[in-house]
Short mmCIF file of all heavy atoms in Angstrom, two decimals:
data_model
loop_
_atom_site.label_atom_id
_atom_site.label_comp_id
_atom_site.label_asym_id
_atom_site.label_seq_id
_atom_site.Cartn_x
_atom_site.Cartn_y
_atom_site.Cartn_z
N MET A 14 -45.58 72.50 -64.13
CA MET A 14 -45.96 72.25 -62.76
C MET A 14 -46.31 73.54 -62.05
O MET A 14 -45.59 74.51 -62.07
CB MET A 14 -44.77 71.57 -62.01
CG MET A 14 -44.38 70.25 -62.64
SD MET A 14 -42.94 69.48 -61.82
CE MET A 14 -42.76 68.01 -62.82
N ALA A 15 -47.51 73.54 -61.45
CA ALA A 15 -48.03 74.73 -60.87
C ALA A 15 -47.31 75.18 -59.60
O ALA A 15 -47.13 76.38 -59.34
CB ALA A 15 -49.52 74.55 -60.54
N ASP A 16 -46.83 74.22 -58.82
CA ASP A 16 -46.17 74.49 -57.55
C ASP A 16 -44.73 74.89 -57.83
O ASP A 16 -43.93 74.17 -58.39
CB ASP A 16 -46.18 73.25 -56.66
CG ASP A 16 -45.64 73.48 -55.29
OD1 ASP A 16 -44.80 74.38 -55.11
OD2 ASP A 16 -45.99 72.73 -54.36
N PRO A 17 -44.34 76.12 -57.42
CA PRO A 17 -42.96 76.58 -57.69
C PRO A 17 -41.91 75.70 -57.05
O PRO A 17 -40.84 75.49 -57.67
CB PRO A 17 -42.94 77.99 -57.03
CG PRO A 17 -44.37 78.44 -56.98
CD PRO A 17 -45.16 77.17 -56.80
N ALA A 18 -42.17 75.17 -55.87
CA ALA A 18 -41.17 74.32 -55.21
C ALA A 18 -40.99 73.01 -56.00
O ALA A 18 -39.87 72.51 -56.18
CB ALA A 18 -41.63 73.96 -53.80
N LYS A 19 -42.10 72.48 -56.52
CA LYS A 19 -42.02 71.23 -57.29
C LYS A 19 -41.33 71.52 -58.65
O LYS A 19 -40.58 70.68 -59.16
CB LYS A 19 -43.40 70.64 -57.53
CG LYS A 19 -44.01 69.97 -56.29
CD LYS A 19 -45.28 69.23 -56.62
CE LYS A 19 -45.84 68.57 -55.36
NZ LYS A 19 -44.98 67.51 -54.81
N ARG A 20 -41.57 72.68 -59.21
CA ARG A 20 -40.92 73.08 -60.45
C ARG A 20 -39.40 73.07 -60.28
O ARG A 20 -38.66 72.52 -61.09
CB ARG A 20 -41.37 74.46 -60.90
CG ARG A 20 -42.45 74.44 -61.95
CD ARG A 20 -42.56 75.76 -62.69
NE ARG A 20 -42.47 76.97 -61.88
CZ ARG A 20 -43.53 77.55 -61.34
NH1 ARG A 20 -44.70 77.06 -61.43
NH2 ARG A 20 -43.35 78.66 -60.61
N GLU A 21 -38.94 73.71 -59.23
CA GLU A 21 -37.51 73.82 -58.99
C GLU A 21 -36.90 72.43 -58.66
O GLU A 21 -35.82 72.10 -59.15
CB GLU A 21 -37.22 74.79 -57.85
CG GLU A 21 -35.77 75.01 -57.52
CD GLU A 21 -34.94 75.47 -58.76
OE1 GLU A 21 -35.52 76.14 -59.60
OE2 GLU A 21 -33.78 75.13 -58.85
N ALA A 22 -37.64 71.65 -57.89
CA ALA A 22 -37.15 70.30 -57.58
C ALA A 22 -37.05 69.45 -58.85
O ALA A 22 -36.08 68.69 -59.03
CB ALA A 22 -38.08 69.64 -56.58
N ALA A 23 -38.01 69.58 -59.73
CA ALA A 23 -38.01 68.81 -60.99
C ALA A 23 -36.80 69.23 -61.86
O ALA A 23 -36.15 68.40 -62.50
CB ALA A 23 -39.29 69.02 -61.74
N ARG A 24 -36.51 70.54 -61.91
CA ARG A 24 -35.37 71.02 -62.68
C ARG A 24 -34.08 70.44 -62.16
O ARG A 24 -33.20 69.98 -62.91
CB ARG A 24 -35.32 72.54 -62.63
CG ARG A 24 -36.44 73.22 -63.43
CD ARG A 24 -36.16 74.69 -63.62
NE ARG A 24 -37.27 75.34 -64.29
CZ ARG A 24 -38.11 76.17 -63.68
NH1 ARG A 24 -37.97 76.43 -62.39
NH2 ARG A 24 -39.11 76.72 -64.34
N ARG A 25 -33.94 70.42 -60.80
CA ARG A 25 -32.71 69.87 -60.21
C ARG A 25 -32.62 68.35 -60.51
O ARG A 25 -31.53 67.83 -60.76
CB ARG A 25 -32.68 70.12 -58.70
CG ARG A 25 -32.48 71.59 -58.33
CD ARG A 25 -32.05 71.71 -56.87
NE ARG A 25 -33.08 71.11 -55.97
CZ ARG A 25 -34.08 71.80 -55.47
NH1 ARG A 25 -34.23 73.11 -55.73
NH2 ARG A 25 -34.95 71.23 -54.67
N SER A 26 -33.79 67.69 -60.44
CA SER A 26 -33.80 66.23 -60.71
C SER A 26 -33.33 65.92 -62.11
O SER A 26 -32.52 65.03 -62.37
CB SER A 26 -35.22 65.66 -60.49
OG SER A 26 -35.53 65.59 -59.12
N LEU A 27 -33.86 66.68 -63.08
CA LEU A 27 -33.54 66.45 -64.50
C LEU A 27 -32.06 66.75 -64.76
O LEU A 27 -31.43 66.06 -65.56
CB LEU A 27 -34.48 67.25 -65.40
CG LEU A 27 -35.95 66.86 -65.37
CD1 LEU A 27 -36.73 67.65 -66.41
CD2 LEU A 27 -36.11 65.36 -65.63
N GLU A 28 -31.54 67.74 -64.09
CA GLU A 28 -30.13 68.07 -64.25
C GLU A 28 -29.27 66.90 -63.75
O GLU A 28 -28.30 66.49 -64.40
CB GLU A 28 -29.77 69.35 -63.53
CG GLU A 28 -28.33 69.77 -63.68
CD GLU A 28 -27.99 71.06 -62.95
OE1 GLU A 28 -28.92 71.67 -62.38
OE2 GLU A 28 -26.83 71.48 -63.01
N TYR A 29 -29.63 66.37 -62.57
CA TYR A 29 -28.86 65.27 -62.00
C TYR A 29 -29.00 64.01 -62.88
O TYR A 29 -28.02 63.28 -63.08
CB TYR A 29 -29.35 64.98 -60.57
CG TYR A 29 -28.65 63.82 -59.90
CD1 TYR A 29 -27.42 64.01 -59.26
CD2 TYR A 29 -29.21 62.54 -59.89
CE1 TYR A 29 -26.77 62.92 -58.65
CE2 TYR A 29 -28.55 61.50 -59.31
CZ TYR A 29 -27.34 61.67 -58.68
OH TYR A 29 -26.71 60.61 -58.07
N MET A 30 -30.22 63.77 -63.33
CA MET A 30 -30.48 62.55 -64.12
C MET A 30 -30.06 62.73 -65.57
O MET A 30 -30.11 61.73 -66.35
CB MET A 30 -31.97 62.24 -64.05
CG MET A 30 -32.50 61.87 -62.67
SD MET A 30 -31.76 60.35 -62.00
CE MET A 30 -32.58 59.10 -63.05
N ASP A 31 -29.65 63.93 -65.97
CA ASP A 31 -29.23 64.18 -67.37
C ASP A 31 -30.35 63.79 -68.35
O ASP A 31 -30.15 63.06 -69.32
CB ASP A 31 -27.94 63.41 -67.69
CG ASP A 31 -27.31 63.91 -69.01
OD1 ASP A 31 -27.52 65.06 -69.36
OD2 ASP A 31 -26.64 63.05 -69.69
N LEU A 32 -31.50 64.37 -68.08
CA LEU A 32 -32.67 64.12 -68.95
C LEU A 32 -33.28 65.42 -69.38
O LEU A 32 -33.20 66.41 -68.62
CB LEU A 32 -33.73 63.25 -68.23
CG LEU A 32 -33.33 61.81 -67.89
CD1 LEU A 32 -34.40 61.18 -67.00
CD2 LEU A 32 -33.13 61.00 -69.17
N GLU A 33 -33.94 65.44 -70.53
CA GLU A 33 -34.58 66.61 -71.06
C GLU A 33 -36.11 66.40 -71.05
O GLU A 33 -36.57 65.28 -71.26
CB GLU A 33 -34.15 66.89 -72.49
CG GLU A 33 -32.65 67.22 -72.61
CD GLU A 33 -32.35 68.59 -72.06
OE1 GLU A 33 -33.28 69.46 -71.98
OE2 GLU A 33 -31.19 68.84 -71.64
N PRO A 34 -36.87 67.45 -70.79
CA PRO A 34 -38.35 67.34 -70.88
C PRO A 34 -38.75 66.81 -72.27
O PRO A 34 -38.16 67.17 -73.28
CB PRO A 34 -38.82 68.77 -70.68
CG PRO A 34 -37.74 69.45 -69.90
CD PRO A 34 -36.47 68.81 -70.39
N GLY A 35 -39.75 65.93 -72.25
CA GLY A 35 -40.23 65.37 -73.50
C GLY A 35 -39.51 64.14 -73.95
O GLY A 35 -39.92 63.45 -74.90
N HIS A 36 -38.42 63.76 -73.27
CA HIS A 36 -37.65 62.55 -73.65
C HIS A 36 -38.51 61.31 -73.36
O HIS A 36 -39.03 61.15 -72.25
CB HIS A 36 -36.39 62.49 -72.79
CG HIS A 36 -35.37 61.50 -73.25
ND1 HIS A 36 -34.05 61.83 -73.51
CD2 HIS A 36 -35.49 60.14 -73.52
CE1 HIS A 36 -33.41 60.75 -73.90
NE2 HIS A 36 -34.25 59.74 -73.94
N ARG A 37 -38.73 60.50 -74.37
CA ARG A 37 -39.55 59.28 -74.17
C ARG A 37 -38.88 58.37 -73.18
O ARG A 37 -37.68 58.06 -73.31
CB ARG A 37 -39.69 58.54 -75.52
CG ARG A 37 -40.90 58.94 -76.32
CD ARG A 37 -41.05 58.13 -77.60
NE ARG A 37 -40.34 56.88 -77.64
CZ ARG A 37 -40.93 55.67 -77.58
NH1 ARG A 37 -42.21 55.59 -77.43
NH2 ARG A 37 -40.19 54.60 -77.68
N LEU A 38 -39.65 57.93 -72.19
CA LEU A 38 -39.09 57.05 -71.17
C LEU A 38 -38.48 55.80 -71.76
O LEU A 38 -37.45 55.29 -71.33
CB LEU A 38 -40.12 56.72 -70.11
CG LEU A 38 -40.58 57.94 -69.26
CD1 LEU A 38 -41.73 57.56 -68.36
CD2 LEU A 38 -39.42 58.43 -68.38
N GLN A 39 -39.15 55.24 -72.78
CA GLN A 39 -38.68 53.99 -73.37
C GLN A 39 -37.41 54.15 -74.23
O GLN A 39 -36.87 53.19 -74.74
CB GLN A 39 -39.78 53.32 -74.19
CG GLN A 39 -40.95 52.87 -73.29
CD GLN A 39 -41.93 52.00 -73.99
OE1 GLN A 39 -41.61 50.83 -74.33
NE2 GLN A 39 -43.10 52.48 -74.25
N ASP A 40 -36.95 55.39 -74.39
CA ASP A 40 -35.71 55.67 -75.11
C ASP A 40 -34.51 55.83 -74.16
O ASP A 40 -33.38 56.09 -74.58
CB ASP A 40 -35.83 56.89 -75.97
CG ASP A 40 -36.77 56.73 -77.16
OD1 ASP A 40 -36.99 55.54 -77.55
OD2 ASP A 40 -37.35 57.70 -77.63
N ILE A 41 -34.76 55.69 -72.84
CA ILE A 41 -33.68 55.87 -71.87
C ILE A 41 -32.89 54.57 -71.72
O ILE A 41 -33.43 53.56 -71.26
CB ILE A 41 -34.26 56.34 -70.52
CG1 ILE A 41 -34.92 57.68 -70.66
CG2 ILE A 41 -33.12 56.43 -69.49
CD1 ILE A 41 -35.63 58.16 -69.42
N ALA A 42 -31.61 54.57 -72.07
CA ALA A 42 -30.76 53.41 -71.92
C ALA A 42 -30.24 53.29 -70.50
O ALA A 42 -30.06 54.28 -69.79
CB ALA A 42 -29.58 53.51 -72.92
N VAL A 43 -30.04 52.04 -70.05
CA VAL A 43 -29.52 51.80 -68.71
C VAL A 43 -28.28 50.88 -68.84
O VAL A 43 -28.14 50.15 -69.82
CB VAL A 43 -30.58 51.14 -67.78
CG1 VAL A 43 -31.73 52.11 -67.55
CG2 VAL A 43 -31.08 49.83 -68.36
N GLU A 44 -27.46 50.93 -67.82
CA GLU A 44 -26.22 50.11 -67.80
C GLU A 44 -26.22 49.04 -66.72
O GLU A 44 -25.44 48.11 -66.74
CB GLU A 44 -24.98 50.98 -67.64
CG GLU A 44 -24.65 51.93 -68.77
CD GLU A 44 -25.44 53.23 -68.67
OE1 GLU A 44 -25.81 53.63 -67.55
OE2 GLU A 44 -25.71 53.83 -69.72
N HIS A 45 -27.12 49.21 -65.73
CA HIS A 45 -27.12 48.33 -64.57
C HIS A 45 -28.57 47.89 -64.26
O HIS A 45 -29.51 48.67 -64.46
CB HIS A 45 -26.51 48.99 -63.37
CG HIS A 45 -25.12 49.42 -63.59
ND1 HIS A 45 -24.02 48.63 -63.25
CD2 HIS A 45 -24.61 50.57 -64.12
CE1 HIS A 45 -22.91 49.28 -63.58
NE2 HIS A 45 -23.23 50.46 -64.11
N ILE A 46 -28.69 46.67 -63.77
CA ILE A 46 -29.99 46.13 -63.34
C ILE A 46 -29.86 45.60 -61.92
O ILE A 46 -28.89 44.88 -61.60
CB ILE A 46 -30.41 44.96 -64.25
CG1 ILE A 46 -30.39 45.37 -65.73
CG2 ILE A 46 -31.80 44.42 -63.85
CD1 ILE A 46 -31.38 46.42 -66.15
N PHE A 47 -30.78 46.01 -61.06
CA PHE A 47 -30.79 45.49 -59.71
C PHE A 47 -32.18 45.01 -59.36
O PHE A 47 -33.14 45.76 -59.33
CB PHE A 47 -30.36 46.56 -58.70
CG PHE A 47 -30.54 46.15 -57.25
CD1 PHE A 47 -29.94 45.00 -56.77
CD2 PHE A 47 -31.31 46.90 -56.37
CE1 PHE A 47 -30.12 44.59 -55.45
CE2 PHE A 47 -31.49 46.52 -55.08
CZ PHE A 47 -30.89 45.36 -54.61
N ILE A 48 -32.27 43.69 -59.13
CA ILE A 48 -33.54 43.08 -58.67
C ILE A 48 -33.29 42.50 -57.30
O ILE A 48 -32.55 41.51 -57.13
CB ILE A 48 -33.99 41.99 -59.65
CG1 ILE A 48 -34.27 42.60 -61.04
CG2 ILE A 48 -35.26 41.24 -59.12
CD1 ILE A 48 -34.65 41.61 -62.11
N GLY A 49 -33.83 43.20 -56.31
CA GLY A 49 -33.59 42.82 -54.90
C GLY A 49 -34.15 43.88 -53.99
O GLY A 49 -35.04 44.66 -54.35
N SER A 50 -33.65 44.00 -52.76
CA SER A 50 -34.02 44.96 -51.71
C SER A 50 -35.15 44.42 -50.88
O SER A 50 -35.88 43.48 -51.22
CB SER A 50 -34.35 46.34 -52.29
OG SER A 50 -35.68 46.41 -52.66
N CYS A 51 -35.45 45.15 -49.75
CA CYS A 51 -36.54 44.74 -48.88
C CYS A 51 -37.90 45.00 -49.52
O CYS A 51 -38.93 44.58 -49.00
CB CYS A 51 -36.46 45.41 -47.53
SG CYS A 51 -36.52 47.21 -47.55
N THR A 52 -37.90 45.68 -50.67
CA THR A 52 -39.15 45.95 -51.38
C THR A 52 -39.50 44.82 -52.34
O THR A 52 -40.67 44.44 -52.42
CB THR A 52 -39.03 47.26 -52.20
OG1 THR A 52 -38.47 48.30 -51.39
CG2 THR A 52 -40.35 47.70 -52.76
N ASN A 53 -38.53 44.27 -53.04
CA ASN A 53 -38.84 43.30 -54.09
C ASN A 53 -37.75 42.23 -54.22
O ASN A 53 -37.08 42.09 -55.24
CB ASN A 53 -38.91 44.02 -55.47
CG ASN A 53 -40.21 44.74 -55.65
OD1 ASN A 53 -40.24 45.96 -55.87
ND2 ASN A 53 -41.32 44.03 -55.57
N SER A 54 -37.58 41.39 -53.18
CA SER A 54 -36.60 40.34 -53.23
C SER A 54 -37.16 38.99 -52.76
O SER A 54 -36.40 38.07 -52.45
CB SER A 54 -35.39 40.69 -52.37
OG SER A 54 -35.81 40.81 -51.01
N ARG A 55 -38.50 38.90 -52.74
CA ARG A 55 -39.14 37.67 -52.24
C ARG A 55 -39.36 36.73 -53.44
O ARG A 55 -39.17 37.08 -54.60
CB ARG A 55 -40.39 38.00 -51.49
CG ARG A 55 -40.10 38.87 -50.27
CD ARG A 55 -41.36 39.41 -49.57
NE ARG A 55 -40.97 40.22 -48.43
CZ ARG A 55 -40.65 41.52 -48.50
NH1 ARG A 55 -40.66 42.15 -49.65
NH2 ARG A 55 -40.29 42.16 -47.44
#
């Protein structure tokens, strides 16, 4: 990422999310499912 602020934000995000660069998204396991909210509950 060219923007230093975005670089640092991405690093913090990955640390919180416990993810590594290059990790295939379809290999990420989940434990909870939520279908609802004011965005998608109609």
Side-chain angles (χ1 to χ4, degrees):
M14 300 176 182
D16 185 334
K19 287 188 179 294
R20 260 200 317 272
E21 182 56 31
R24 289 193 185 107
R25 290 196 302 269
S26 287
L27 294 185
E28 181 179 357
Y29 179 83
M30 296 295 289
D31 191 28
L32 293 172
E33 295 290 335
H36 194 128
R37 269 183 19 108
L38 292 173
Q39 294 192 70
D40 290 337
I41 298 174
V43 296
E44 294 83 27
H45 300 268
I46 307 294
F47 172 56
I48 297 176
S50 86
C51 61
T52 312
N53 283 123
S54 62
R55 299 171 181 84

